Amino acid sequence: MEQKADSGPGAKAARWFPPPALWAFLLLLGVVFAGAYAVGRAVGPVAPGMHGPGVTSDAPSRDADLPMEHGGGH
């Protein structure tokens, strides 16, 4: 007597589940991203004078005081 795999309409569909290590990696990735985002929001900009889009300042720009040098002279 030969056994066959069920392939009829009443056969249970085999479902693929990702390995637990993949779920753990994705969870760890999300935790690290959330932590980095929280630290970045708490610390603020990394450079002085750096602003988000649409933020204006009443103070004069410090870039206007810098001389413009276009040459690569020695």
Side-chain angles (χ1 to χ4, degrees), residues 30-50:
V31 168
V32 168
F33 176 80
Y37 182 80
V39 168
R41 292 286 292 180
V43 171
V46 294
M50 202 171 156

Side-chain angles (χ1 to χ4, degrees), residues 51-70:
H51 301 288
V55 175
T56 58
S57 175
D58 293 334
S61 173
R62 291 186 353 181
D63 293 337
D65 299 336
L66 298 175
M68 297 292 286
E69 294 184 27
H70 295 284

Side-chain angles (χ1 to χ4, degrees), residues 10-26:
K12 202 175 191 182
R15 300 191 93 187
W16 180 81
F17 290 107
L22 178 61
W23 289 114
F25 173 74
L26 292 176

